[in-house]
Amino acid sequence: MDRHIEVLPSFDALVDRSLELVLDKLRDAIAQRDQATIALSGGSTPTPLYEKLAAQDLPWDKLHIFWGDERYVPPDHADSNYRMARLAWLDKVPIPAKNVHPMPTDEDDPAIAAQKHEAELHAFFGTKPGEFPAFDVILLGIGDDAHTASLFPHTDALKVSDRLITVGNKDGTPRITFTVPLINQARTNLFMVAGDSKQEALSHIFAPDADPMTYPSRLIQPQGELWWLLDHGAGKNL
């Protein structure tokens, strides 16, 4: 694993550094494979990054957008990660509709939606069941409880090792999420972490020894690059 940890002096600097890295990885992917794949995270931290990406001159027809997790709400719901990214970024650029791959949330059973999205990923990447495709970039954040994507402490989703997509559980509410092995297959995983409230979680994530079932972000140990970009509030005690 190729791990990098950077503590940036401010939130704005965190966003600018994230933009620099994301653009670098996407352009490299397009140069090497003629397309780039990125999975987005939700929450408030990446929103300014998406707004800055909307102002870039990229070959939009070569960029494919996915999500690392999604709340189980309609796509126009205020809590939808898809809606947030669409308003901040995707509605502002000429990206083909077929290049945007939201997680489905329209099935009565979230497990069926997870299976549908898994089948879509296999079809897109040309992988077979049991194989894990490699995204070029997966954006991640952490919660105060050290969760990432919709991989929450002591939930069944943490143990899923044979699927790309599973159902996460946030206080009894279902979500759709990438599994740990799918995240770990990425060429680049990029955590954006901001705010004083993340200090305790980070202290456990970076500790020499701690239970990953309690601090799920510890499970992200990718084959590719792992970037932790922290603002001063989050990273000042590391």
Side-chain angles (χ1 to χ4, degrees):
M1 182 177 63
D2 183 11
R3 187 169 84 163
H4 310 261
I5 302 171
E6 296 183 11
V7 180
L8 289 308
S10 66
F11 180 73
D12 288 344
L14 165 66
V15 173
D16 288 343
R17 179 66 174 128
S18 301
L19 177 67
E20 179 183 30
L21 268 176
V22 167
L23 289 174
D24 185 40
K25 302 304 178 187
L26 295 180
R27 287 172 173 146
D28 278 355
I30 291 168
Q32 292 175 30
R33 291 176 291 280
D34 203 39
Q35 73 172 20
T37 54
I38 182 170
L40 307 185
S41 60
S44 57
T45 302
T47 306
L49 169 64
Y50 301 158
E51 291 168 346
K52 285 179 180 269
L53 283 165
Q56 302 301 310
D57 181 20
L58 287 167
W60 298 109
D61 60 318
K62 297 182 186 299
L63 185 61
H64 285 264
I65 310 289
F66 299 82
W67 279 261
D69 74 315
E70 183 58 272
R71 296 175 173 94
Y72 211 70
V73 295
D76 58 353
H77 192 281
D79 291 338
S80 167
N81 291 339
Y82 164 72
R83 177 180 181 272
M84 182 270 278
R86 195 165 50 72
L87 293 177
W89 174 13
L90 302 176
D91 283 355
K92 301 176 181 178
V93 298
I95 189 167
K98 66 181 175 59
N99 289 24
V100 180
H101 308 267
M103 290 180 158
T105 57
D106 54 351
E107 298 288 343
D108 290 339
D109 182 353
I112 294 176
Q115 291 168 11
K116 267 176 62 175
H117 196 55
E118 177 155 337
E120 181 187 2
L121 294 189
H122 280 310
F124 176 84
F125 285 100
T127 48
K128 300 179 179 127
E131 296 176 345
F132 290 87
F135 282 85
D136 293 306
V137 180
I138 297 180
L139 293 176
L140 297 164
I142 67 167
D144 293 352
D145 61 356
H147 85 267
T148 193
S150 282
L151 301 166
F152 292 94
H154 303 290
T155 56
D156 291 341
L158 301 181
K159 303 172 188 172
V160 177
S161 61
D162 58 346
R163 300 291 302 274
L164 310 185
I165 308 294
T166 192
V167 179
N169 186 321
K170 167 65 169 168
D171 300 329
T173 303
R175 305 208 182 174
I176 306 294
T177 186
F178 280 12
T179 60
V180 171
L182 178 58
I183 296 172
N184 281 337
Q185 192 68 25
R187 295 184 176 93
T188 299
N189 279 306
L190 171 57
F191 279 91
M192 295 178 68
V193 185
D196 293 6
S197 69
K198 305 296 171 59
Q199 289 175 20
E200 183 178 356
L202 287 169
S203 72
H204 294 289
I205 293 165
F206 292 139
D209 189 34
D211 178 15
M213 294 299 288
T214 304
Y215 307 104
S217 294
R218 290 179 67 90
L219 294 168
I220 308 309
Q221 304 282 340
Q223 298 189 31
E225 295 181 6
L226 175 59
W227 289 84
W228 284 91
L229 301 186
L230 320 173
D231 75 351
H232 177 71
K236 63 187 174 186
N237 291 331
L238 287 179

